[in-house]
Amino acid sequence: MAASRTATRTLRALRTSTRPALTAAPRAAFRQGGRRLYSSEPAKSGGSNIWAWAIGAGALGAGGLWYLNQDGASATPKVFAPKFDDYQAVYNEIASRLEEKDDYDDGSYGPVLVRLAWHASGTYDKETGTGGSNGATMRFAPESDHGANAGLKAARDFLEPVKAKFPWITYSDLWILGGVCAIQEMLGPQIPYRPGRQDRDAAGCTPDGRLPDATQAQDHLRNIFYRMGFNDQEIVALSGAHALGRCHADRSGFDGPWTFSPTVLTNDYYKLLLDEKWQWKKWNGPKQYEDKKTKSLMMLPADMALIQDKKFKQWVEKYAADNELFFKDFSNVIVKLFELGVPFAENSERWVFKTVNA
C-alpha cells in the first residue's frame, strides 16, 4: 500500500512533464508491489417503524429526513438535516474502502464507481425530462439488466455497506457521491457536488438504448449525447473518463484497459489515441482495436471515432496537449452530467470534498 501511494503521487508530479515516456512504458512498470498504478438492496434494520418513517419522508429531500429515536417504549420523530460534514463522512467512508481488495481489477473500485455514476446519469432525455441520476432506478430490472450496465452490480454492492452506515443518504445521491469520490481519489480534478436526488421505484426505469454503444461511430455518439444536451467539445471531454478502468469479456464482451494507468486519471487516453498505432484485434470477441506496440491496450470503435471525425479530433488534440485544460473541462462536464434532470432546491450549494488518499 505504501509503495502504491508513493508511486501514485509520483505520477501526479510527472503528469504534465514526463507522461509521454510513461505512456510508452509497459504496463508492469505501473504495478509496484502488486497494487494499482495501472491506471442492491436497502440495508436491513432492526426496527420496521424507523424505516416506515424514513420511507414516508423521502419527499423531504436532502434538507431533512424523518427518523425515529427510540427511547424504551417511546418513539419521537425528529428531522435530520445533513450538512457538509455529514456528506464528507460518507465520502471518507467510500475513499477508505476503494482499495480494500487487491484482487479486484487493478486493485481499486474507483473506475467501476465512476461508471456507475456515469450510467445512472447518462440515461437522461432532455425532451421528456426522464432518466438521469435522480432515481437510482438501476436498482431494478429491467434497467439493471441492460447490456450497457453489465458488471455494475459490483459497484452497487460495494456501496451497500456505506448505505447501511449512513441510511439517511439516498441511493441516488450516494451513487453520484461515489463517482465524485473515485475521480478525486484517483488523482483527478476536484468535482463539485450537491445533494438533492430522490430515489424512485421500478416504474421510473428508463428504456434500453439510452447509453452509448461502443460498437458505433460518430453519428451514434452525437445522437446519444445531443439527446442529453451536450455538444461536440463536451462529448470529447466526457470520453476522457476512458482513461480509467478496463473492459471485461464476461461483461461487455470487450477486453482490456485503455491506458497503462487505469486507476489514475490523466489525459493519456487522448495521447494514446493520437500517438499509438492501432490495429484490429484478432480474437473471437467483438471488434476492437489493440495497440501494435504492446498489444496490451485497447480502443473501441466509438473511441476511434473521436480521431476519425474532424470536429471531435480537434478537441482530442487540445486535451492531449494540455492536461490542465482537460481537467478543467472534464470537471465542468461531469458536474453537468451528474446533475441532469435533478430538481435541486433553489440556491442549493455545491461542495468540494477534501481528498483522503490522493
Side-chain angles (χ1 to χ4, degrees):
M1 177 68 75
S4 173
R5 297 275 184 248
T6 300
T8 301
R9 293 190 178 101
T10 300
L11 276 181
R12 181 191 286 276
L14 295 175
R15 179 179 276 140
T16 58
S17 60
T18 60
R19 288 303 301 173
L22 290 173
T23 55
R27 188 178 3 169
F30 290 88
R31 303 198 66 178
Q32 297 189 13
R35 291 280 306 171
R36 57 181 277 193
L37 294 181
Y38 260 111
S39 247
S40 340
E41 295 300 321
K44 295 180 180 179
S45 68
S48 58
N49 287 338
I50 295 176
W51 285 101
W53 276 96
I55 294 171
L60 290 176
L65 177 73
W66 284 99
Y67 68 99
L68 284 183
N69 271 350
Q70 293 186 326
D71 258 340
S74 65
T76 305
K78 294 184 178 180
V79 174
F80 172 56
K83 306 296 184 184
F84 170 82
D85 288 345
D86 298 300
Y87 287 94
Q88 179 73 61
V90 180
Y91 178 105
N92 294 349
E93 180 70 16
I94 297 170
S96 70
R97 298 183 53 234
L98 286 178
E99 297 180 349
E100 66 181 3
K101 291 187 178 180
D102 289 341
D103 58 349
Y104 183 78
D105 275 5
D106 300 290
S108 173
Y109 277 88
V112 77
L113 292 183
V114 175
R115 183 167 167 248
L116 174 64
W118 206 117
H119 284 216
S121 305
T123 58
Y124 183 69
D125 180 357
K126 67 178 182 179
E127 298 300 326
T128 63
T130 58
S133 63
N134 191 51
T137 50
M138 200 195 303
R139 291 171 293 150
F140 310 107
E143 191 171 335
S144 60
D145 298 327
H146 291 170
N149 294 330
L152 287 178
K153 185 177 184 299
R156 299 194 299 270
D157 288 350
F158 172 87
L159 290 172
E160 277 299 328
V162 183
K163 173 67 171 165
K165 187 171 182 177
F166 303 94
W168 50 265
I169 191 170
T170 63
Y171 279 100
S172 305
D173 274 341
L174 177 61
W175 289 3
I176 299 304
L177 182 51
V180 168
C181 174
I183 291 168
Q184 293 193 166
E185 296 299 316
M186 291 188 290
L187 307 185
Q190 291 181 333
I191 308 296
Y193 169 90
R194 57 176 166 169
R197 299 163 186 81
Q198 291 303 308
D199 295 338
R200 297 174 178 171
D201 59 22
C205 285
T206 54
D208 201 358
R210 287 196 176 184
L211 293 167
D213 180 348
T215 67
Q216 302 297 313
Q218 51 265 42
D219 288 345
H220 169 78
L221 289 177
R222 288 192 170 96
N223 287 336
I224 292 291
F225 285 95
Y226 285 8
R227 186 206 71 228
M228 289 185 257
F230 293 112
N231 58 34
D232 286 357
Q233 171 264 318
E234 292 171 319
I235 292 172
V236 178
L238 276 174
S239 298
H242 279 179
L244 301 170
R246 61 173 58 237
C247 288
H248 302 78
D250 60 346
R251 299 178 189 178
S252 64
F254 303 104
D255 185 61
W258 287 269
T259 71
F260 293 110
S261 53
T263 62
V264 179
L265 184 59
T266 68
N267 62 342
D268 283 358
Y269 167 74
Y270 305 108
K271 292 182 178 182
L272 290 165
L273 266 175
L274 294 171
D275 296 342
E276 294 296 316
K277 301 297 183 183
W278 298 95
Q279 63 187 14
W280 289 109
K281 182 175 181 177
K282 296 179 180 179
W283 72 319
N284 294 326
K287 285 188 175 181
Q288 68 176 69
Y289 293 86
E290 64 181 6
D291 69 300
K292 287 186 177 181
K293 188 180 299 180
T294 71
K295 298 185 179 180
S296 63
L297 300 178
M298 65 106 204
M299 289 288 172
L300 304 172
D303 296 311
M304 299 304 291
L306 298 185
I307 58 174
Q308 293 165 350
D309 182 278
K310 291 183 179 179
K311 292 182 179 179
F312 284 154
K313 186 177 181 180
Q314 65 177 325
W315 288 104
V316 172
E317 292 171 338
K318 289 179 181 180
Y319 294 143
D322 191 338
N323 191 71
E324 289 187 8
L325 175 64
F326 163 55
F327 269 24
K328 178 179 71 70
D329 287 355
F330 179 78
S331 178
N332 290 335
V333 74
I334 204 78
V335 169
K336 179 178 176 178
L337 173 68
F338 288 167
E339 294 188 352
L340 290 175
V342 181
F344 294 109
E346 188 176 356
N347 298 321
S348 58
E349 182 183 3
R350 288 195 182 106
W351 298 321
V352 173
F353 297 109
K354 299 176 182 177
T355 57
V356 174
N357 300 311

